[in-house]
Amino acid sequence: MKLLIKNGHIINEDESFQADILCEGGKITQISEHIDQQLLDCDFIDASGKYLLPGGIDPHVHFHLPTKAGFSSDDFLSGSKAALFGGTTSIIDFVTPKKGQKLPDALKERLIEAKDCRCNYSFHISPIEWRDSLKEEIRYCINKGYNTFKVYMAYKDSIGLDDSSLKKVMKVVAAEGGTITVHCEMGDKIDGLRNKFTAENKTGVEYHPLSRPNETESRAVKKALEFAKETSCPIYIVHVSTKESLRHIKQAKKLGQEVYAETCPQYLLLNDTKYKGDFYDTAKYVMSPPLRKEDDNLALWEALGDGTIDTIGTDHCPFSLSQKEYGIDDFRKIPNGAGGVEHRHKLLYTYGVLANKITINQFVALTSANAAKVFGMFPDKGIIKVGADADIIIWDPQPSSTILSNNHYSTCDLDIYDGFAVKGNADLSILGGELKKRP
Ligand code: URP
Ligand code: ZN
């Protein structure tokens, strides 16, 4: 099966040029100024006036995540459709074992849950407790091609690690050649604040951000960086949301530490004013870390430009209104998370590229190329070049639209970007050389 894409404008992280692309056997086999369709028996797309982007890679999604309020709204089928039609051809989800469950067993279970995924997928694997056999378990996962391990410094009562276990896990991951990815929030401090507020009968949504102030993230970032340095473990910090965390990351990078950082569209585009209002206006913004202040938004935009932030993930983890209602009398019970996988490209293109905050090449670096490099997919993915996988987004820069919670591929009835005006659209998504049609 051959596919010829003609007259598009190819955008890579470090170059932009007009060319035709031939895809064959799932790969890009030719890129040149003019490829003659007459000489080939192939399908054909005219991409005049469109950008050709390397398929997006979202390194942080939670499809079908179990919580006390039920599973996150999108399973691997609906979530991957939302990803594909938004411009993302690869996602990285998570394997979170139950207490006492071995990582290889949890991985096998998760692979079954992910069988309906329509885009490329992989997993970060979460050691949620220390045990001596972890070295063998981590080695097994790495041999199977899963070499990133996600640990939580928050959620101490369920999946969070204490400091001593965290350091031990980092040591093993480093020794086995993996990378640690860390949710940086000081779990004990947060639990103390949450319980204090509830004891004072302060149970509304507004106490969610107040129980997770900036320093609960930045102090955790500082600590995680120190532990990673001590154990020589490459570290990737997920969903960075504060200006103070950025300072620690910038300093560590300057000193030559192998550290990568991710932020998410919600921390660039929304702030804590969203927590003002009644439960039904505010519960959809309950996520961890919480939305911050405008000066944090601004610092994050700057950090995209200066290389402190490497990737934009979405932390896609939507819950329906009825699920959020599980915490109507107690903010601690509101399931944490919101969706975004389908809007990442539109939001970044509109509020980043068109607002001159990032270049179109940085847009590609942040949504695809850098994640491909950090997570070992480069140069198969993250770039349009001969020999790479034919995962390509045909991006139409023209259409204007408004994001609406009742008009998205995600199955969730809530959308934190509801009402956002956006420009640009993933006209067509090509996955392994195959055109993915919108339902
Ligand atoms: O609020 C969030 N981020 N929910 C998803 C789980 C996590 O903490 O990443
Ligand atoms: Zn997450």
Side-chain angles (χ1 to χ4, degrees):
M1 175 71 177
K2 288 181 190 168
L3 177 69
L4 177 61
I5 310 166
K6 279 195 74 72
N7 309 317
H9 201 79
I10 296 173
I11 312 285
N12 280 323
E13 59 170 331
D14 55 357
E15 58 184 355
S16 313
F17 58 100
Q18 187 88 22
D20 297 347
I21 300 178
L22 183 65
C23 309
E24 206 174 348
K27 294 277 180 187
I28 296 171
T29 52
Q30 198 182 334
I31 299 179
S32 57
E33 238 172 75
H34 177 76
I35 303 175
D36 195 343
Q37 193 200 354
Q38 313 301 326
L39 305 175
L40 302 161
D41 173 26
C42 63
D43 289 339
F44 161 78
I45 298 168
D46 182 9
S48 299
K50 316 267 168 80
Y51 293 127
L52 306 179
L53 311 173
I57 300 170
D58 189 335
H60 191 158
V61 304
H62 301 271
F63 297 158
H64 194 65
L65 176 83
T67 74
K68 286 184 178 149
F71 288 97
S72 55
S73 315
D74 284 313
D75 57 16
F76 280 85
L77 180 61
S78 64
S80 60
K81 281 186 191 164
L84 266 179
F85 301 122
T88 291
T89 50
S90 302
I91 55 102
I92 313 183
D93 200 282
F94 297 84
V95 172
T96 313
K98 297 170 197 80
K99 287 263 185 225
Q101 189 181 30
K102 296 272 170 71
L103 301 183
D105 296 331
L107 171 60
K108 284 172 203 157
E109 274 182 25
R110 195 66 172 152
L111 282 165
I112 294 168
E113 287 170 351
K115 69 181 187 331
D116 292 331
C117 194
R118 294 288 196 263
C119 63
N120 304 306
Y121 61 95
S122 185
F123 302 109
H124 306 289
I125 314 242
S126 278
I128 61 159
E129 58 205 336
W130 173 258
R131 58 180 162 258
D132 289 339
S133 63
L134 215 49
K135 193 175 170 69
E136 283 313 310
E137 297 172 40
I138 285 174
R139 184 173 295 160
Y140 172 94
C141 296
I142 290 182
N143 284 338
K144 292 280 175 197
Y146 302 94
N147 48 15
T148 50
F149 297 87
K150 164 87 176 282
V151 290
Y152 295 82
M153 295 170 81
Y155 311 135
K156 284 282 181 58
D157 59 343
S158 52
I159 53 176
L161 290 182
D162 61 37
D163 289 357
S164 146
S165 304
L166 176 56
K167 241 194 248 186
K168 285 190 212 161
V169 170
M170 283 186 181
K171 217 167 167 179
V172 169
V173 169
E176 296 300 321
T179 295
I180 201 89
T181 80
V182 192
H183 175 131
C184 291
E185 284 191 301
M186 305 290 274
D188 294 332
K189 172 82 185 161
I190 289 167
D191 289 340
L193 287 169
R194 280 154 69 90
N195 295 336
K196 175 180 155 309
F197 284 134
T198 352
E200 293 165 357
N201 220 12
K202 295 172 175 168
T203 54
V205 171
E206 67 272 31
Y207 292 100
H208 172 71
L210 293 176
S211 63
R212 309 178 101 93
N214 280 29
E215 61 151 16
T216 55
E217 178 186 276
S218 60
R219 281 174 50 204
V221 165
K222 184 164 184 282
K223 186 188 272 192
L225 286 168
E226 282 164 6
F227 285 5
K229 190 171 179 193
E230 218 176 289
T231 55
S232 304
C233 189
I235 179 170
Y236 175 94
I237 301 177
V238 301
H239 50 47
V240 174
S241 68
T242 71
K243 56 186 182 312
E244 296 86 355
S245 301
L246 290 170
R247 279 190 218 121
H248 295 307
I249 294 162
K250 201 169 186 167
Q251 176 70 3
K253 285 192 171 198
K254 202 165 146 196
L255 294 175
Q257 188 171 347
E258 189 174 354
V259 45
Y260 309 99
E262 167 197 282
T263 191
C264 313
Q266 56 269 36
Y267 302 117
L268 293 162
L269 296 170
L270 300 169
N271 60 52
D272 65 357
T273 54
K274 295 289 181 198
Y275 297 115
K276 290 197 173 82
D278 73 12
F279 180 86
Y280 290 95
D281 293 330
T282 56
K284 69 176 172 179
Y285 301 104
V286 170
M287 61 185 78
S288 295
L291 301 174
R292 304 295 185 183
K293 303 239 177 282
E294 218 177 315
D295 57 348
D296 295 295
N297 301 152
L298 292 174
L300 286 163
W301 278 114
E302 245 176 63
L304 297 185
D306 71 15
T308 308
I309 292 285
D310 299 280
T311 64
I312 295 182
T314 58
D315 200 2
H316 181 89
C317 191
F319 293 96
S320 66
L321 184 58
S322 62
Q323 290 176 298
K324 292 278 182 185
E325 278 175 336
Y326 185 72
I328 194 155
D329 295 321
D330 181 348
F331 72 91
R332 296 174 303 174
K333 292 189 184 160
I334 302 172
N336 278 211
V341 71
E342 134 179 31
H343 307 316
R344 184 177 65 141
H345 275 62
K346 280 184 180 166
L347 291 168
L348 260 287
Y349 183 72
T350 307
Y351 295 95
V353 178
L354 296 182
N356 290 321
K357 289 193 169 121
I358 52 171
T359 66
I360 187 121
N361 304 93
Q362 284 172 319
F363 170 65
V364 164
L366 290 160
T367 55
S368 179
N370 290 350
K373 287 179 190 166
V374 177
F375 298 115
M377 304 175 197
F378 197 81
D380 288 333
K381 302 197 185 298
I383 186 166
I384 295 183
K385 73 163 199 168
V386 172
D389 292 348
D391 294 344
I392 299 167
I393 300 302
I394 303 188
W395 185 259
D396 185 345
Q398 292 306 333
S400 297
S401 59
T402 302
I403 294 174
L404 294 171
S405 53
N406 60 3
N407 186 21
H408 53 196
Y409 285 97
S410 166
T411 54
C412 191
D413 58 358
L414 297 177
D415 195 319
I416 55 172
Y417 303 107
D418 191 39
F420 265 68
V422 283
K423 204 160 159 69
N425 186 40
D427 221 16
L428 293 170
S429 305
I430 296 160
L431 182 69
E434 242 184 70
L435 201 56
K436 293 291 157 187
K437 296 227 163 65
R438 287 170 189 275

